């Protein structure tokens, strides 16, 4: 019933009865009974908000009647009034007047102690709203806490927090301690405010000794009430909600607590409160302990809370293959794939992974950083004897070890210091100050982890490339110790001979120098025992040091040829050297500028590990803002700097250098910087360049500058993405395309100001404006042409068309031996319209003329040239040899044309309309000499990793390829293997593999054989690359490879003699080297999967395979831990812990492989479809595994799989780009909505109930402890349903922890659940 009958008449009746009760001697309980009868007889619903306000307003504090306070207590117990409202109204009146009315305060405190946790919301919405309004009006909650849409639960939580603050402030005030905090309770006035509040009674009030005793006793009583309130589990839950959702407000309570703990109470009376104060302090400190575990009396609870993984400090290399850290190894190795160019900084990715794994493994910082270093060292050692080929090699791997990992650690420690500030200060008017220091455990853990690395000698042996730098680092430490010894006049102590360091430096010396360069440690680490050998120490004083060319450069020596050559091969050692070089590149002479750019992009970029982030920054700045002094103009700015920019582009185009730039996360910025270069260099007419050289030279310079920029851009956007047919978009933009790269750049530009205010990042774009492809019309036109070329065949051209004329000039140039009428026409049919094509071929006038046209015009006409020559070849008017020669002449003329050739031929192969041509050595090159050998080696590689090779036949029949593919591979083998042509080979290799994927599988061995004949030293690389092609369309082969990954890492599920089980750890999964030694280049299954997974056509198939493998292995683990038909474990807690740890390892491996293969697409499918389908489906349990433990481990492993995949893709924090955050929130909401509907029994599941319960409990437990940010944007209704379901399972603590993470919006649901405790 609504309390709509409250009116003046009812109010007068209540007042009249109140006066009568005070005159009678009846007990207060009788008053309550009479009042209830009166109000219900007048239709007033109880509890009544109006009654509460009336009773409090009529209480006279000058003549405190204990009977009225007793009546108030009975009224609260009888639900005549709402406790929250009464206590709020009383606190706003009593606490400010506690000095002048100590009796009222003395009576209020027990009432508060008894009823503060009474929270039973009424069923009336209007009644609840009036209660909210009344409490908010008295305590100003909405204004203080900035919550304008208050709910009753909000009011309850905030009232409790407010009363805790008020009691502490009033107690300190009563003790005469005037303390200045960030915020002061509105219930505790200052000195002048006391006079205003009590101005009506000040003159009549006389301080008596009795009143003073009551006031002193009240301060002790308030402290005791605080101790009892904070000792309650309910109090902890409410305060934790404030801590999680309003941390800045909770800091106000933390300040007060720190001040109370620092007090030295002088008087004997105050000393009596120390025990109470200590207990209260411990209670509030306990609020920060979020040890929410599942019900420990249930098997599920014991399983989830298995404790940390403590295997890290076993110093044996073989025993340190902790499966808890495999995501680090898999991510690092996956980042080395030459066919993908990561667009997200590896520093940021590793930062998130370090934080996530440290939490999920419950590891110390020493264990975490040690695992990180060992993963990076394994990455380097895997490259010790690699197959030679056009792939990133040791320099990119050393970049991870000595640059990316230290910079990620810098980020981790910086964020750790923000969450755990080194000092917290507060001031007191008397001048007292207190400071609390942090122990800096993160940095100490880092230093100890590097010291422990000395026990892993097999991983520290330096590859040949870094032997000299490692020795230099060791000698540097020896000289420092020697100089310190001579300076102090003391002998060297703690330096012992060590067998691992007698030969000189190792990789740990390089790691130490990399850390010192980033201020992660200091030179005191040089004194570690065994860090420097005695042999190095004894020669440190007499070692002759060759003068560094960089010292010569800094002394002002001009850049002559000798110095340029020395600086090119010697990495810079300081930021000042790089800054000077950058200044010369912008403002030097015509000779100095390209020389300085060349130096900057050479050894300093590839091997300047200690300052590599700075070198990357200045290389990007050179590309983005080449502004010489006194310059004016538009495109002429870039033309004037063409030689310098060409030097930058050529130096940055090597395979390793591009990968280093991508690891540092500057791909979007570089791509945005290349757009104006492509537009400018492609728009100019070569003869218009004023170089003073011959016209042919100027043409070459213009076309080469354009080609370097354009091919660089092509590499960044075309080969760095998953296939577009996967349909992944962000904000309506296809992930991986050129528009996507520009959107990433623009997002960085838009947020750069905010970042610069908080952190002077080195990787902010030098461009201050967003970049749009529409601003570059020539580039946009070619981009649109590319997309249309892929989508459909070209249409015929009219003879007078300008593009036709350009195509005619190009054909005349590339086929100089063909004279007018030299090729007879044919009426044969062709795949496309042949009339225009025939006219192009037959119009070869001015055969030896080289067209002088802007590069964009040449690029626009090339598709039509290609169609013409392919058609002519089909009709017999052009031989295959002449076709290849013409293509090579075209690439020599304009190297950028290779991109168009690749695009056109690839799309034509996919279209499948061209005839097959024989690769017989007559018409086209023949692979016969090595084809069978390559095929047998590919088969051996696949057999080694447990994959059944599909049956095919190429040796017994004529080898054939589609004409466009034959032309492309024939063109590719004409290129010389020159370091300067890496920008050509990088594009060609990826293009051949992509092109071959559109044909039957045997085409890749054919292409590989042709290349193996040309470059014999690339044989192993080619064979390994060829073995990947089988996985594109063959789902069964993919499933077999994934099973081998699990077997090589976790062991086999049955007795097996497979070589994959010889070493079940990271080395078994990824290999200790890329290819095993021997005649056949065997590779590890995990390595082969990482290099093949992005070619898989049906990538969604991987989800079902991986979920099936995780389930199968979890079942097998249970079978090993429980006997046949048993519902109990064979052993006790130890066996359970091992089973849980093993299931966790299974899930981690599955999540790593899933994320590496499909990224966001597979994770999204996992959350939305795969796991819900898995829960909805019934499964046949395998023999001997039908036990409680098997069902539990299934749910446990699947919860870990879901959490780990999400954390790897999105991270667990709140600092995400808006598009990523929106996607994450949407996907998580969908999954939790599904779980909530099942909890409410609106959806029926078919999996075992034990599996269901385990999955939900483990998922929620992991989410609230590892990824609380994921819960914050889930709908409150969904959280409420999940919490209700968990409570039905007696998982009250877990339900409460879930609601606590739901922001302030979930406080209402939390308050309702707290009342059930």
């Amino acid at each position: 019933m609504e309390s709509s009958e409250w009116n003046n008449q009812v109010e007068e009746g209540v007042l009249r009865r109140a006066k009568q009760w005070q005159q009678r001697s009846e007990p207060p309980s009788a008053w309550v009974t009479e009042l209830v009868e009166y109000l219900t007889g007048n239709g007033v619903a109880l509890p009544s908000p109006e009654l509460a306000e009336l009773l409090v307003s009529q209480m006279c504090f000058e003549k405190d009647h204990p009977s009225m306070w007793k009546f108030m207590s009975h009224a609260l117990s009888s639900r005549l009034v709402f406790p929250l409202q009464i206590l709020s109204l009383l606190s706003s009146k009593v606490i400010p007047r506690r000095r002048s009315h100590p009796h009222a305060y003395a009576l209020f405190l027990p009432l508060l102690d008894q009823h503060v946790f009474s929270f039973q919301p009424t069923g009336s919405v209007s009644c609840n709203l009036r209660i909210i309004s009344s409490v908010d009006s008295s305590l100003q909650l909405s204004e203080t806490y900035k919550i304008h849409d208050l709910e009753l639960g909000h009011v309850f939580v905030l009232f409790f927090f407010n009363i805790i603050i008020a009691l502490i402030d009033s107690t300190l005030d009563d003790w005469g301690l005037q303390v200045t905090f960030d915020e002061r309770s509105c219930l505790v006035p200052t000195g002048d405010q006391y006079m205003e509040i009590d101005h009506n009674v000040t003159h009549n009030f006389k301080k008596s000794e009795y009143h003073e005793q009551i006031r002193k006793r009240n301060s002790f009583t308030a402290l005791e009430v605080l101790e009892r309130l904070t000792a309650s589990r309910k109090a902890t839950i409410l305060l934790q909600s404030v801590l999680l959702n309003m941390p800045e407000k909770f800091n106000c309570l933390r300040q007060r607590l720190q001040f109370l703990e620092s007090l030295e109470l002088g008087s004997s009376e105050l000393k009596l409160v120390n025990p109470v104060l200590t207990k209260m302090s411990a209670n509030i400190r306990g609020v920060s302990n979020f040890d929410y575990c599942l019900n420990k009396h249930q098997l599920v609870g014991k399983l989830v809370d298995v404790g940390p993984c403590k295997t890290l400090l076993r110093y044996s290399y073989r025993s340190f293959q902790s499966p808890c850290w495999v995501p680090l190894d898999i991510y690092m190795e996956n980042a080395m794939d030459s066919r993908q160019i990561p667009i997200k900084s590896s520093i940021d990715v590793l930062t998130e992974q370090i934080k996530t794994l440290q939490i999920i493994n419950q590891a110390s910082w020493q264990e975490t950083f040690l695992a990180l270093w060992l993963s990076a060292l394994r990455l380097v050692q895997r490259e010790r004897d690699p197959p030679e080929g056009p792939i990133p090699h040791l320099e990119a791997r050393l970049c991870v070890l000595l640059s990316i990992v230290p910079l990620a650690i810098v980020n981790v420690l910086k964020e750790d210091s923000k969450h755990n500030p080194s000092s917290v200060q507060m001031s007191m008017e008397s001048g007292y100050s207190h400071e609390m220091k942090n122990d800096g455990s993160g940095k100490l853990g880092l230093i100890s982890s590097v010291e422990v690395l000395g026990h892993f000698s097999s991983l520290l042996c330096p590859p040949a490339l870094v032997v000299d730098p490692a020795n230099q680092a060791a000698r540097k430490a020896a000289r420092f110790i020697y100089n310190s010894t001579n300076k102090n006049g003391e002998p060297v102590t703690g330096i012992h001979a060590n067998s691992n360091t007698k030969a000189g430096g190792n990789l740990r010396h390089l790691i130490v120098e990399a850390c010192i360069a980033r201020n992660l440690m200091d030179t005191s680490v040089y004194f570690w025992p065994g860090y420097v050998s005695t042999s190095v120490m004894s020669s440190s004083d007499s070692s002759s040091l060759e003068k560094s060319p960089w010292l010569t450069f800094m002394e002002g020596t001009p850049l002559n040829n000798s110095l340029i050559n020395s600086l090119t091969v010697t990495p810079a050692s300081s930021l000042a050297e790089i800054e000077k070089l950058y200044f010369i590149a912008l403002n030097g002479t015509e000779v100095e500028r390209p020389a300085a750019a060349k130096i900057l992009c050479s050894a300093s970029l590839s091997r300047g590990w200690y300052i590599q982030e700075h070198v990357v920054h200045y290389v990007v700045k050179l590309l983005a803002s080449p502004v010489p002094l006194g310059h004016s103009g538009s495109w002429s700015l870039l033309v004037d700097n063409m030689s310098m920019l060409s030097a930058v582009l050529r130096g940055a185009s090597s395979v390793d250098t591009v990968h280093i730039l991508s690891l540092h996360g500057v791909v979007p910025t570089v791509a945005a910087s290349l757009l104006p270069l492509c537009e400018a260099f492609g728009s100019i007419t070569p003869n218009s360049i004023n170089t003073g050289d011959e016209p042919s030279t100027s043409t070459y310079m213009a076309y080469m500058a354009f080609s370097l920029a354009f091919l660089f851009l092509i590499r960044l956007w075309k080969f760095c993405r998953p296939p577009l047919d996967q349909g992944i978009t962000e904000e309506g933009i296809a992930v991986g395309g050129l528009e996507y790269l520009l959107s990433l750049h623009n997002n960085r530009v838009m947020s750069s100001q905010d970042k610069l205010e908080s952190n002077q990042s080195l990787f902010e774009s030098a461009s201050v404006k967003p970049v749009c492809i529409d601003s570059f019309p020539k580039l946009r036109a070619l981009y649109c042409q590319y997309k249309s070329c892929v989508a459909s065949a070209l249409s015929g051209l009219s003879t007078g068309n300008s593009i036709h004329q350009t195509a005619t000039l190009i054909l005349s140039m590339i086929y100089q031996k063909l004279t007018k009428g030299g090729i007879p026409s044919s009426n044969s049919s062709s795949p496309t319209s042949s009339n225009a094509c025939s006219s192009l071929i037959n119009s070869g006038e001015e055969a030896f003329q080289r067209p002088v046209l802007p590069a964009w015009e040449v690029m626009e006409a090339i598709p039509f040239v290609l169609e013409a020559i392919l058609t002519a070849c089909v009709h017999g008017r052009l031989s295959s040899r002449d076709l290849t020669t013409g293509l090579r002449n075209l690439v020599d003329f304009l190297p950028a044309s290779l991109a168009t050739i690749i695009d056109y031929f690839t799309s034509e192969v996919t279209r499948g309309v061209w005839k097959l041509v024989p690769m017989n050595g007559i018409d086209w090159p023949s692979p016969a000499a090595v084809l069978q050998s390559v095929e047998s080696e590919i088969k051996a590689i696949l057999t080694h990793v447990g994959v059944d090779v599909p049956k095919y036949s190429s040796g017994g029949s004529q080898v054939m390829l589609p004409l466009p593919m034959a032309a492309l591979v024939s063109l590719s083998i004409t290129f010389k293997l020159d370091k300067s042509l890496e920008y050509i080979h990088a594009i060609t290799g990826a293009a051949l593999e992509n092109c071959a994927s559109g044909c039957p599988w045997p085409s890749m061995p054919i292409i590989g054989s042709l290349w193996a004949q040309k470059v014999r030293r690339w044989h192993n690389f080619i064979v390994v690359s060829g073995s990947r092609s089988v996985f594109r369309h063959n789902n069964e082969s993919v499933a077999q490879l994934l099973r081998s990954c699990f077997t090589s890492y976790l062991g086999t599920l049955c007795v097996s003699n497979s070589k994959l089980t010889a070493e079940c750890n990271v080395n078994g999964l990824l290999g200790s080297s890329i290819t095993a030694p021997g005649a056949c280049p065997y590779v590890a299954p995990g390595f082969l999967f990482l290099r093949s997974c992005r070619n898989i056509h049906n990538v969604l198939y991987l989800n079902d395979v991986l979920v099936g493998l995780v389930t199968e292995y979890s079942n097998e683990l249970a079978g090993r831990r429980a006997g046949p038909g048993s519902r109990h474990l064979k052993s006790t807690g130890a066996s359970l812990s091992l089973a849980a740890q093993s299931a966790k390892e299974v899930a981690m491996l599955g999540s790593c492989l899933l994320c590496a293969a499909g990224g966001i697409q597979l994770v999204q499918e996992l959350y939305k479809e795969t796991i819900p389908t898995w829960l909805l489906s019934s499964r046949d349990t395998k023999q001997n595994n039908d036990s409680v433990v098997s069902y539990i481990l299934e749910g446990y492993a699947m919860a870990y799989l879901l959490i780990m995949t999400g954390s790897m893709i999105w991270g667990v924090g709140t600092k995400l780009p808006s598009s990523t955050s929106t996607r994450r929130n949407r996907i998580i909401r969908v999954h939790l909505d599904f779980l909530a509907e099942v909890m409410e029994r609106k959806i029926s599941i078919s999996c075992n109930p034990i599996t269901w319960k385990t999955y939900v409990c483990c998922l929620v437990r992991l989410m609230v402890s590892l990824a609380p940010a994921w819960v914050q944007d889930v709908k409150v209704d969904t959280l409420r349903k999940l919490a209700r379901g968990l409570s039905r399972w007696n998982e009250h603590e877990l339900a409460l922890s879930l609601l606590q993470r739901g922001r302030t919006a979930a406080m209402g649901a939390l308050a309702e659940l707290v009342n059930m405790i």
Side-chain angles (χ1 to χ4, degrees), residues 22 42 166 176 228 599 729 763 808 817 866 878 885 1099 1141 1172:
Q22 294 180 23
N42 284 275
R228 286 193 294 272
I599 296 169
T729 61
F763 302 118
T808 300
K817 294 182 180 181
L866 299 176
L878 186 67
T885 301
V1099 70
Q1141 185 65 28

Side-chain angles (χ1 to χ4, degrees), residues 11 15 19 22 53-60 68:
E11 182 176 327
L15 292 175
K19 292 179 181 179
Q22 294 180 23
E53 291 189 348
L54 178 64
L55 293 177
V56 173
S57 66
Q58 295 301 313
M59 293 188 71
C60 180
M68 285 299 296

Side-chain angles (χ1 to χ4, degrees), residues 12 94 312 319 389 527 544 1042 1243:
E12 291 174 1
V94 174
L312 288 176
S319 68
F527 294 92
S544 58
L1042 282 172
I1243 299 177

Side-chain angles (χ1 to χ4, degrees), residues 27 113 195 226 317 582 651 668 760 764 779 859 1023 1086 1239 1244:
D113 192 9
M195 298 296 294
L226 274 170
Y317 166 67
Y582 170 76
Q760 294 292 333
E764 294 304 318
L779 178 61
M859 296 288 286
V1023 170
M1239 282 287 202
S1244 299

